[in-house]
Amino acid sequence: VKTEMKKIAVLGCPFDSTSSYRSGSRFAPAVIRNTLREVEDYSPHLDGDLRDIDYCDEGDVVFVNNDKEQALDLIKKTVRGILSENKMPLVLGGEHLITLPVVQAVREKYKDIKVLYLDAHCDLRDEYLGVKLSHATVARRLLDFISPGSLFQFGIRSGEREEFRFARKHGILYDFSRKKLDGVLKKIGKPPLHISIDLDILNPAIFPGTGVPDPGGISFDEFIEFIKGLKKAGIVAMDIVELSPPCDHTESSSFLAATVMREMLILAGRRKK
Amino acid sequence: VKTEMKKIAVLGCPFDSTSSYRSGSRFAPAVIRNTLREVEDYSPHLDGDLRDIDYCDEGDVVFVNNDKEQALDLIKKTVRGILSENKMPLVLGGEHLITLPVVQAVREKYKDIKVLYLDAHCDLRDEYLGVKLSHATVARRLLDFISPGSLFQFGIRSGEREEFRFARKHGILYDFSRKKLDGVLKKIGKPPLHISIDLDILNPAIFPGTGVPDPGGISFDEFIEFIKGLKKAGIVAMDIVELSPPCDHTESSSFLAATVMREMLILAGRRKK
Amino acid sequence: VKTEMKKIAVLGCPFDSTSSYRSGSRFAPAVIRNTLREVEDYSPHLDGDLRDIDYCDEGDVVFVNNDKEQALDLIKKTVRGILSENKMPLVLGGEHLITLPVVQAVREKYKDIKVLYLDAHCDLRDEYLGVKLSHATVARRLLDFISPGSLFQFGIRSGEREEFRFARKHGILYDFSRKKLDGVLKKIGKPPLHISIDLDILNPAIFPGTGVPDPGGISFDEFIEFIKGLKKAGIVAMDIVELSPPCDHTESSSFLAATVMREMLILAGRRKK
Amino acid sequence: VKTEMKKIAVLGCPFDSTSSYRSGSRFAPAVIRNTLREVEDYSPHLDGDLRDIDYCDEGDVVFVNNDKEQALDLIKKTVRGILSENKMPLVLGGEHLITLPVVQAVREKYKDIKVLYLDAHCDLRDEYLGVKLSHATVARRLLDFISPGSLFQFGIRSGEREEFRFARKHGILYDFSRKKLDGVLKKIGKPPLHISIDLDILNPAIFPGTGVPDPGGISFDEFIEFIKGLKKAGIVAMDIVELSPPCDHTESSSFLAATVMREMLILAGRRKK
Amino acid sequence: VKTEMKKIAVLGCPFDSTSSYRSGSRFAPAVIRNTLREVEDYSPHLDGDLRDIDYCDEGDVVFVNNDKEQALDLIKKTVRGILSENKMPLVLGGEHLITLPVVQAVREKYKDIKVLYLDAHCDLRDEYLGVKLSHATVARRLLDFISPGSLFQFGIRSGEREEFRFARKHGILYDFSRKKLDGVLKKIGKPPLHISIDLDILNPAIFPGTGVPDPGGISFDEFIEFIKGLKKAGIVAMDIVELSPPCDHTESSSFLAATVMREMLILAGRRKK
Amino acid sequence: VKTEMKKIAVLGCPFDSTSSYRSGSRFAPAVIRNTLREVEDYSPHLDGDLRDIDYCDEGDVVFVNNDKEQALDLIKKTVRGILSENKMPLVLGGEHLITLPVVQAVREKYKDIKVLYLDAHCDLRDEYLGVKLSHATVARRLLDFISPGSLFQFGIRSGEREEFRFARKHGILYDFSRKKLDGVLKKIGKPPLHISIDLDILNPAIFPGTGVPDPGGISFDEFIEFIKGLKKAGIVAMDIVELSPPCDHTESSSFLAATVMREMLILAGRRKK
């Protein structure tokens, strides 16, 4: 696959209807865009500047929150359209379930896609409260059409015993560290990559604004160090999910989410001509 | 129909997945029960005491929030069960859509049921964002199986022009006042009544804790005066919906919801033997 | 008794340890003083100006919140000292229990004291959870040393059935209205008056910042109209209680409390010479 | 003057730098626009629909918050531009000081402009903390170029004694009521009108989201009744000021502000052709 | 002493009346239980599952918050009862003072009890504001009946100079680290242990929901590493104190408290048969 | 210059009018003083006690927030007065712009002053939105009268590319570490030092209460270790800026700010005689 840098197309997916505890991630795309304007364009972490990056904003997918199938279908179609224009989608959730239609569309184009899955939670249940399509099952649903060897979960710290057993059995789990990432990248070579960033992988100290603030988690510095390892990996699609603005009283979670978006744009985007 | 006072069965329906703006009413049943313990048992408004009332708590219906059909079906079945034991259901939402399965079950038992619908919003759209089953369409869905002459909306202050036209054409709308209520009751005689209380009928000043706090609305004193008119009406089922605890920072909305529940229990419940 | 206007001495009593639900009124004296600086000196309601009023601030009584007897004793002694200097105490709670030692001290000086008791709650339990001294029993404790004919409760909207029965039996309860007040004042002549203002008498819409926000209650305009009736009554002592700043997210309750304090100072204070 | 209905141009002025207590009204234009999308298009109060109204949004004036003179100058120029295109400006503050440049621009076009000034506060100080241009002096600054007979203040409930004296001496103050408005309109005939709506005229119960939540104030119903009296008055410009979103935890103030905007658009705007 | 794993009995003690700053820990037992239902049963940290643990919930001790002696006495009696049934108490505060009656009861059964005291604060004052029984004196009160050699304080970062001097003199203070713990355990052998966890030992970044959020403190990972050192120590009783839900706007502190509870249950509980 | 320890004079500067996003630091001096009373006098970090330190509080500079020049001028004059009495100013902001007049006054007395500048942001823009005097330009304004070799920025993690280039070109930037500090101090010898502490240098996890919560930043332990390196450096003036209490829902930021103030008083203040 060719992995030249592409123009990035930002797409908002304000979907949160399978949230089982505190919902609200439907408000994230609007808040992240708004906060991005308050964040500096320049990243001292990556020594890059948003003003140099070639990206556009395709707005939000419009759907009915409680018609799940329709919503997921619309997301898939919209991402498919972005890919058909040879752009790289950066999808803003919404809850983690939106990763499913995104990866489905991505895989239509990139058959050998590998998925880096950054998350606090396994999301490997086969069903959750009797439901197959849920934020708690999304990683498992990915395995319906990609092999376990194509899924790499980093930073997991919460889940059922059965999920951990399943993940360990299939060798999906990795500690969150640059070193582990480097090892993975070395092993798999340079296939097209999708990176899915569930922001709750970050410590609730710096990211309290999410539905389920599980103790533990990584620091912002660890996150930056990790993504530096992806500079020359062949990222072809990205998503950033699970900011819940109503849970973010101090706006520090929104600033973090917007900063993560800036870093990913600078990391994966091509320079303007 | 016989309208003797019955034992009341409280039932929680923590369903809020069609909320289009701020959801959170799924947390209401737990919060209302909890707050009721902080509210006095005695109502000086009705001169009655909760300690005298014969009621029980049947807990919550357990369902998956985002599987709408399943959830509504379970609610209907549970209410049917309560009615089959000759109890009077007092259903705590959740969003207003839960009124649909409740009234469906009630009508199976009481064919000539009339519905008093207290709300800020018409809820008379035929569909909302392409969806037939929604908090914004629930009154219209009731009209799929009861006639417009059986639906009485009080306190409406918000809706689309088309909804108001429809409502006026079918004579559904009434100003919120004791006098209007007395007129209605005089006209319809004493059929079995369902009363559906969307708490957002109250002024956001006293009830800010709801998804869509529309300006205007009634005072608590007006509400009390209104329900006094129902003392001898034949209430056979009730629901109280749309408290959203995450929007209720001061807990004043929760106290109001719990107090409304106390008043309805005292108003409609039979005395313990 | 002579009821000439006196110099007013403001005294803070940051005591809230018998609060059974949400405490926090211990922070009220500091917050009210602070907010008073943001409120205009001039009252258009009474056409008077704080800059003309002769008053001083005696600071807070310092005590240990959880040593109730010691705290109440210190409050009594401090109020006694203020009275001995021929000043009029304006005591800022804290919870309503602080009214007990205040009235005890006041009665040592004014044997025929009458108490106007503005509150949402009866506070007439003989004991509460086995305890005699509590915010829920304070009015009853007053009756240990003044007769029921000396206690006038206005605005009560919450209590146990037994409290209402007791209150009605002893003729203590009055509707909150200027007319009722005028009737009372006409009947009792002009004895020395203590006025105790539990701010939760006000509607939670305008005063959400209190431990127990019971629905109903009076408006600010009704409050102003009421106290205008007291212009020439012989007030000799006052207290303002039950603001809980941690429950007052918008600061509107604090502004209301500070404004009530301003009005009482202008109403009852003598002009500077 | 010709008072035919005009196309309305909405203009945001996110200026709040003279706020002396809690600032934050700079965030209001963005929040009001956002919330307007959640409010129904149809007003049952005025029986009109936003979808029929001919208006456009000119975005925000961009300036440096702490360079007051520059900011006010830019606002004036922008409003002048709107008027030169024969549109009617509806200006969203920001703090009340923005009314000054707006009325300055309006008066360049309409020499005999009259100003209806709805507010909780007089704003008639000649200077505030040594400063001539302030939210607390804006009404006085208007009097630098319009006569007291052209300024009509409704709903004032807070100010210094000197301001009230000044206002009464010049006959500026009117009680807030439809009747008073009708009297004023009858007396002045039908000159071009500017209406300035400081939202803090509303009771903090329904509008807590403002810097200084003074007790008292009008209800939403009173507001609606008042503006109905303006249906055929010759409004040529409007402003809506002093929503402070950071003080509006429940969003009820934002809903109120957006609803007021809808009502003013329907009241004063011409129908689309 | 025999230290076989026992059935654990959870007991809530909603007592917070000696809190000198922000109270609210009285609401913690209810909130922790509620949040525990949202936390996964499985701990990847300890590789154990709550579903395997033999424990029961004995509900809350019911007392009057402001009758300190009575409350402490009831707690002691209840814990004594639990111990007499050969269960291991896991007590949920409430404020830290509740540790006193708990350890008193525990010591009746285990004469050679040693206390591990995890806290940000020394709590070694002999009296606080003239009071002997207080959250600020509780460790000192323990020394009234156990020797300094039986008390081990970890993580202390705040106190009076006199408290630190006292603690250093008696060799009570230990840095918070697994290594220090291992040293202590090696030295003392394997006597029965009580572990008292004041959650404010954790960094306010991850545990802001407490009355006094002192800067500094440990991370969740450090906490987990520490308790792993206790796997085979002879814990016979535990308490978890000082979560204050009203200070926990984001619920992240509640999730942390519930997770700590899960870890302690898995660490110290016996497996179901 | 003689660097003997001096009496410290605390001065509040409640100025925040150039804040471009969320303002509110005007409330910081009052809140820090208030919270300092809740913090222990003893610092276990520095093993010193506030009760031993010779310092006084000079209150706040009183000015009009939106008359920037006047405010800055008053601050300069007041600091000059403090220095003329041979005291060491500890200035509490307000926003970072207040450092400008403080250093101006300090440099009048100490010609060879060096400035340690702890901050998340460069503040090195030459102008910000067309304005020369701003929180975003303050470090650059310092360079108008001190040389780049006299300015040492630690902890910077946010800024424009141009600012970083400028800073690197002039050798102003240093990583935040004790080692770097020791190196700097060794190189420059012992000139008089001003230390300016923008609290947003701390991680938003522990200091969310600021206008712009940029991800990353230092821990409290790192801060303490750093300032220990300053024990014998010749500090002659200090400022602590950018706490914004309205953004500090949990009060943890206020506790941190008050603790930083305590540490700086103990570090730099002379002992009482």
Side-chain angles (χ1 to χ4, degrees), chain A residues 1-3 6 106-107 109-116 150 152 188-195 233-237:
Chain A
V1 70
K2 287 200 298 183
T3 57
K6 292 169 192 296
V106 169
R107 190 162 177 273
K109 179 161 185 179
Y110 302 99
K111 299 299 171 200
D112 54 341
I113 190 78
K114 307 286 184 196
V115 179
L116 304 183
S150 297
F152 304 87
I188 64 175
K190 219 177 152 184
L193 288 182
H194 178 88
I195 178 164
I235 296 177
V236 298

Side-chain angles (χ1 to χ4, degrees), chain D residues 68-84:
Chain D
K68 190 167 52 177
E69 279 75 17
Q70 182 208 35
L72 299 183
D73 198 50
L74 274 169
I75 294 171
K76 181 158 62 177
K77 282 178 182 152
T78 313
V79 173
R80 192 187 284 149
I82 288 170
L83 290 164
S84 74

Side-chain angles (χ1 to χ4, degrees), chain F residues 93-152:
Chain F
E95 54 160 88
H96 213 161
L97 184 53
I98 64 110
T99 297
L100 178 61
V102 173
V103 175
Q104 286 172 335
V106 169
R107 192 165 176 271
E108 291 172 2
K109 181 163 184 179
Y110 302 99
K111 299 300 170 198
D112 53 342
I113 189 79
K114 305 287 184 196
V115 179
L116 304 183
Y117 198 96
L118 281 56
D119 201 335
H121 307 91
C122 296
D123 300 347
L124 283 166
R125 283 163 163 95
D126 190 40
E127 58 177 55
Y128 184 59
L129 300 174
V131 170
K132 289 273 183 178
L133 291 175
S134 161
H135 69 286
T137 67
V138 57
R140 187 64 168 267
R141 286 292 80 72
L142 293 180
L143 295 179
D144 291 345
F145 62 96
I146 65 170
S147 69
S150 297
L151 180 63
F152 304 87

Side-chain angles (χ1 to χ4, degrees), chain D residues 229-247:
Chain D
L230 293 167
K231 261 189 182 164
K232 293 177 182 171
I235 295 178
V236 298
M238 307 182 278
D239 65 66
I240 301 173
V241 300
E242 295 288 0
L243 168 68
S244 178
C247 305

Side-chain angles (χ1 to χ4, degrees), chain D residues 20 53 64 98 135 163 176 185 216 227 230 232:
Chain D
S20 48
I53 303 299
V64 187
I98 63 110
H135 69 286
E163 293 177 272
F176 189 91
L185 291 179
I227 62 165
L230 293 167
K232 293 177 182 171

Side-chain angles (χ1 to χ4, degrees), chain D residues 8 38 51 54 59 67 71 92 111 122 124 190 193 246 262:
Chain D
I8 296 176
E38 303 300 328
R51 291 171 294 182
D54 190 19
D67 192 337
L92 302 176
K111 299 300 170 199
C122 296
L124 283 166
K190 217 175 154 185
L193 287 183
R262 181 190 73 188

Side-chain angles (χ1 to χ4, degrees), chain D:
Chain D
V1 69
K2 288 202 295 182
T3 57
E4 85 285 4
M5 293 300 218
K6 292 169 191 299
K7 177 167 189 166
I8 296 176
V10 175
L11 180 70
C13 294
F15 176 83
D16 67 1
S17 83
T18 85
S19 300
S20 48
Y21 193 54
R22 301 185 298 179
S23 61
S25 59
R26 74 182 67 176
F27 299 107
V31 166
I32 294 176
R33 284 181 182 106
N34 219 39
T35 307
L36 189 61
R37 282 184 285 163
E38 303 300 328
V39 170
E40 298 280 357
D41 290 318
Y42 175 70
S43 164
H45 314 298
L46 301 179
D47 191 20
D49 200 300
L50 218 47
R51 291 171 294 182
D52 297 334
I53 303 299
D54 190 19
Y55 74 100
C56 60
D57 194 321
E58 309 257 341
D60 282 1
V61 185
V62 178
F63 47 74
V64 187
N65 235 304
N66 68 311
D67 192 337
K68 190 167 52 177
E69 279 75 17
Q70 182 208 35
L72 299 183
D73 198 50
L74 274 169
I75 294 171
K76 181 158 62 177
K77 282 178 182 152
T78 313
V79 173
R80 192 187 284 149
I82 288 170
L83 290 164
S84 74
E85 294 168 355
N86 209 27
K87 296 180 199 150
M88 179 193 307
L90 166 48
V91 182
L92 302 176
E95 54 159 89
H96 212 160
L97 183 54
I98 63 110
T99 297
L100 178 61
V102 174
V103 176
Q104 285 171 334
V106 170
R107 191 165 176 270
E108 292 172 2
K109 180 161 184 179
Y110 302 99
K111 299 300 170 199
D112 53 342
I113 189 79
K114 306 287 183 196
V115 178
L116 304 184
Y117 199 96
L118 281 55
D119 201 334
H121 306 92
C122 296
D123 300 346
L124 283 166
R125 283 162 162 95
D126 189 39
E127 58 177 57
Y128 184 58
L129 300 174
V131 169
K132 289 273 183 179
L133 290 175
S134 160
H135 69 286
T137 67
V138 57
R140 188 65 169 267
R141 285 294 79 72
L142 292 180
L143 295 179
D144 291 346
F145 61 96
I146 65 170
S147 69
S150 298
L151 180 63
F152 304 87
Q153 292 195 321
F154 292 86
I156 310 300
R157 63 183 190 270
S158 183
E160 280 191 314
R161 180 166 45 194
E162 291 68 25
E163 293 177 272
F164 275 93
R165 280 185 187 159
F166 178 94
R168 287 178 189 130
K169 181 180 148 198
H170 290 93
I172 291 169
L173 290 189
Y174 295 84
D175 287 343
F176 189 91
S177 76
R178 172 68 182 274
K179 203 176 152 190
K180 285 284 174 190
L181 174 66
D182 289 347
V184 163
L185 291 179
K186 196 167 179 186
K187 199 174 78 182
I188 64 175
K190 217 175 154 185
L193 287 183
H194 177 89
I195 178 163
S196 175
I197 303 172
D198 186 329
L199 292 163
D200 70 15
I201 193 175
L202 290 146
N203 196 311
I206 52 171
F207 194 74
T210 193
V212 182
D214 272 302
I218 66 169
S219 71
F220 181 70
D221 291 348
E222 288 171 315
F223 175 78
I224 291 293
E225 181 59 22
F226 186 90
I227 62 165
K228 282 181 181 172
L230 293 167
K231 261 189 182 164
K232 293 177 182 171
I235 295 178
V236 298
M238 307 182 278
D239 65 66
I240 301 173
V241 300
E242 295 288 0
L243 168 68
S244 178
C247 305
D248 182 33
H249 300 259
T250 63
E251 298 190 25
S252 59
S253 308
S254 304
F255 270 83
L256 188 117
T259 304
V260 165
M261 179 176 168
R262 181 190 73 188
E263 301 300 305
M264 297 315 293
L265 285 168
I266 292 173
L267 181 88
R270 74 176 179 200
R271 298 197 138 232
K272 280 183 199 158
K273 283 156 198 170

